[in-house]
Amino acid sequence: MFKKVVLSTVLSSVFMGAAYAAAHELTVAQRQDPGSWDPIDTFLVAWSSAGNSLYDALVLRDEQLKLQPGLAEKWEELDGGLRLRFYLRKGVNFHNGEPFNAEAVKYTIERLLGEEGKKGPQRSNYTAIEEVKIIDEHTVDFVLNKPDPVLLTKLAGYGAMIVPPKYIAEKGDAFFNENPVGTGPFKFVSYKQGDRLVLEPNNEYWGGKPKLQKLTYRFIKEDATSLAELQAGRIDVWHDVAISAVPIIEKSKDNKVVAETGPTIMSLQFNLENGITKDVRVRKALNMAVDKKMLIDAFLAGYAEPIATLQSKLSFGYDENLKDYPFDPEQAKKLLAEAGVKPGTKMTIDYRASQSTFGEVAQALTAFFGNVGLDVSVKPIEDAVFLNENVPQGKTNEAFQFGWGGWTFDFDNTAYLVYHSGQKWNPYLKSEKMDTLLEKQRVAINKEDRLKQLQEVARLAQEEAYHLPLYNTKTLYGVSNKVKNFLPAPDFRVRYFQTDVE
């Protein structure tokens, strides 16, 4: 009997110890491991969702998308918007003890715009910066070669995260990729590629001490595994919940689905040079052939909204008065007949093979298009081929998948890259009128003027039916009920600064 009591006590202590260890420790699951933690190496949301905890930028964008002081306490525009002066925080150190100062800012931007930055995808976002001038140890000027109305937002993320000059000089870029050092609320502990990134609180953080004692990001490709780990309590938050898992989580007593309107849109982009989609009447007919609400209910569990343009309502440039094409199969048939498209005409939709949900949507689109007389097939294409050859080199069929996150929440970030001639994601469109509109809004100083110009871009794109905008997806999290003070971000850039776990 005595042995049983002792054994029971020991086991109870072990379990209590395990429960205590789990308290104040948060584990996040996301599908993708960015593979490098250098801010200039990637544009992946998977980087930013974790990198946002490691690094700070001069400007901070909070979970409500408001720009706040970051490593710069304040800033001002000079010389008609061609100079930005930043007044830096004093007494801030990088995680390795290296001081943050004007030299670190200058080094970060020059590295981003220099040879190292050329190797990554971030450099082009910041080319309006001509020079960084140090005024004193805690004041810097960004001298611009042209106005950039989105620059402050860009400075709040990705490539503009401030990095430590001495650390990188001593350790090298390759080491820095896997052993990051920033000034953020959490600091690096360990990284195992393809498995996890482990962080601990930066108790000297300028914004205060985080509540968590440990923050772990696990990289789990399989949605079924993430669901099982959430149900078992081995992860606390799941970023970008699979639609198939939503009903299961919604029925759970221990977890919940948290949904936010996000920036991500999904559409079909049309081949404007070859096939039946050269004709604007055909493109309009395809827009009228689809019941978007039915797609959302059937394949997205209702967690999306129909869209008339390639942006969400959170985007600067959104026009609430822009009316979508009606769901009108009979009118679609008439337009196809006017364009000389005979019943049974073949058409193909290309899509990314890794995106199973859109694969199901694409199959449903073949039925909608079949209902107006077309014979449509789908073609799954491996991601690397789709992103590096199929679209940029103009090798698509008549219609192809286009999804976009719009991380700046500004329509320029989507529209310029998709509608301006010569851009990577615009293999077919060449419109002098569109190019002029896009270039004009980029140098507009007055915010209201620029809003109107972006809305005109959206109207022109809709009139010409360059796309078939489908839906704006919700940003979905699976969250354990043990998690407290969880602040969902529309773009998965959750900082977990105020978050805690019971």
Side-chain angles (χ1 to χ4, degrees):
M1 179 68 179
F2 175 75
K3 290 182 179 179
K4 289 184 178 179
V5 171
V6 171
L7 179 61
S8 175
T9 302
V10 170
L11 289 174
S12 177
S13 298
V14 169
F15 290 135
M16 286 178 67
Y20 176 77
H24 311 296
E25 297 183 3
L26 184 82
T27 300
V28 178
Q30 59 184 43
R31 289 186 190 85
Q32 200 166 15
D33 177 355
S36 169
W37 297 105
D38 188 330
I40 65 177
D41 282 352
T42 183
F43 58 83
L44 298 173
V45 173
W47 183 92
S48 194
S49 62
N52 222 36
S53 295
L54 275 163
Y55 297 99
D56 288 316
L58 296 178
V59 182
L60 187 153
R61 191 176 73 189
D62 65 20
E63 286 84 353
Q64 288 75 44
L65 307 181
K66 302 295 184 184
L67 294 181
Q68 308 282 357
L71 289 174
E73 291 183 313
K74 61 180 180 177
W75 54 87
E76 59 182 333
E77 289 188 4
L78 304 171
D79 300 344
L82 288 175
R83 184 186 294 261
L84 291 173
R85 176 162 292 180
F86 294 94
Y87 299 89
L88 309 181
R89 290 186 186 277
K90 299 176 181 177
V92 176
N93 291 320
F94 289 96
H95 299 150
N96 66 334
E98 185 176 334
F100 161 74
N101 52 29
E103 289 286 354
V105 176
K106 182 178 176 66
Y107 171 83
T108 296
I109 301 302
E110 290 183 349
R111 179 174 181 264
L112 169 62
L113 296 175
E115 291 303 312
E116 191 64 27
K118 285 181 182 179
K119 301 174 186 177
Q122 284 297 323
R123 183 178 180 275
S124 62
N125 284 318
Y126 303 92
T127 52
I129 304 172
E130 181 71 25
E131 182 185 5
V132 177
K133 287 188 174 182
I134 295 177
I135 307 303
D136 58 43
E137 188 178 4
H138 296 100
T139 311
V140 295
D141 279 3
F142 284 18
V143 181
L144 309 186
N145 51 48
K146 59 184 177 182
D148 183 347
V150 197
L151 184 59
L152 280 175
T153 299
K154 293 174 185 175
L155 290 174
Y158 290 93
M161 294 292 191
I162 305 300
V163 298
K166 293 180 182 178
Y167 179 80
I168 296 176
E170 291 171 2
K171 301 293 186 179
D173 292 306
F175 185 85
F176 179 58
N177 289 348
E178 297 191 359
N179 300 270
V181 166
T183 61
F186 293 90
K187 55 186 181 179
F188 175 78
V189 175
S190 64
Y191 170 55
K192 183 178 179 182
Q193 196 168 62
D195 181 26
R196 68 189 64 207
L197 171 73
V198 180
L199 309 178
E200 64 183 9
N202 174 14
N203 292 328
E204 306 302 318
Y205 187 56
W206 56 265
K209 182 179 177 180
K211 295 181 179 179
L212 292 171
Q213 295 176 357
K214 183 178 180 182
L215 175 58
T216 301
Y217 292 86
R218 289 180 58 189
F219 312 117
I220 305 175
K221 293 181 180 179
E222 300 79 14
D223 291 335
T225 302
S226 291
L227 176 60
E229 294 292 273
L230 181 67
Q231 290 175 312
R234 288 187 287 268
I235 63 173
D236 304 297
V237 182
W238 178 10
H239 284 198
D240 197 14
V241 168
I243 292 297
S244 59
V246 167
I248 300 169
I249 300 173
E250 287 179 329
K251 294 176 183 177
S252 169
K253 295 180 181 179
D254 300 317
N255 307 296
K256 58 182 176 289
V257 174
V258 176
E260 288 283 308
T261 296
T264 302
I265 60 90
M266 196 63 69
S267 75
L268 281 186
Q269 191 168 346
F270 294 127
N271 186 327
L272 306 177
E273 291 183 353
N274 304 295
I276 60 173
T277 47
K278 287 195 301 183
D279 193 312
V280 66
R281 293 168 295 185
V282 173
R283 301 196 298 267
K284 289 182 177 181
L286 294 173
N287 271 272
M288 293 181 181
V290 178
D291 185 342
K292 299 176 185 180
K293 185 68 167 61
M294 195 184 96
L295 288 177
I296 291 167
D297 291 341
F299 301 106
L300 297 160
Y303 283 103
E305 296 178 5
I307 52 173
T309 178
L310 302 188
Q311 58 185 320
S312 81
K313 61 187 178 184
L314 299 176
S315 171
F316 182 81
Y318 182 76
D319 184 356
E320 62 183 11
N321 297 314
L322 185 65
K323 302 299 181 185
D324 200 359
Y325 286 96
F327 173 50
D328 191 343
E330 293 307 312
Q331 181 61 24
K333 290 177 184 178
K334 291 178 182 178
L335 285 172
L336 289 172
E338 287 178 16
V341 178
K342 297 179 180 179
T345 296
K346 294 183 180 298
M347 188 181 103
T348 301
I349 299 171
D350 298 339
Y351 74 95
R352 292 171 62 179
S354 66
Q355 301 201 358
S356 57
T357 297
F358 191 83
E360 294 175 344
V361 170
Q363 289 288 353
L365 290 173
T366 68
F368 281 122
F369 297 152
N371 190 43
V372 297
L374 298 175
D375 180 5
V376 181
S377 60
V378 297
K379 183 179 180 180
I381 298 174
E382 192 269 323
D383 278 14
V385 175
F386 185 95
L387 296 172
N388 298 315
E389 298 179 26
N390 183 267
V391 177
Q393 297 179 26
K395 297 179 178 179
T396 73
N397 283 294
E398 293 88 349
F400 52 102
Q401 177 187 359
F402 178 78
W404 199 256
W407 68 275
T408 61
F409 291 86
D410 188 294
F411 192 39
D412 170 84
N413 181 243
T414 304
Y416 197 95
L417 298 176
V418 181
Y419 296 138
H420 195 284
S421 58
Q423 293 296 308
K424 178 179 180 178
W425 304 115
N426 172 27
Y428 303 117
L429 175 62
K430 297 177 181 67
S431 166
E432 185 176 343
K433 182 177 181 180
M434 180 63 86
D435 285 355
T436 300
L437 280 172
L438 289 166
E439 291 160 8
K440 187 177 178 181
Q441 62 82 28
R442 278 203 159 180
V443 296
I445 297 175
N446 183 280
K447 189 174 181 179
E448 288 303 313
D449 289 344
R450 185 167 172 268
L451 175 63
K452 292 176 182 176
Q453 290 159 5
L454 285 173
Q455 290 175 341
E456 190 174 349
V457 167
R459 284 195 298 272
L460 176 59
Q462 192 200 41
E463 288 167 5
E464 295 296 323
Y466 295 135
H467 280 69
L468 194 175
L470 292 168
Y471 47 79
N472 169 210
T473 57
K474 296 286 187 180
T475 299
L476 298 180
Y477 299 89
V479 184
S480 166
N481 291 334
K482 296 183 298 181
V483 177
K484 305 302 176 188
N485 297 323
F486 174 70
L487 295 176
D491 55 356
F492 295 114
R493 294 179 67 192
V494 182
R495 301 184 86 226
Y496 294 109
F497 177 62
Q498 296 294 337
T499 307
D500 203 358
V501 180
E502 289 184 341

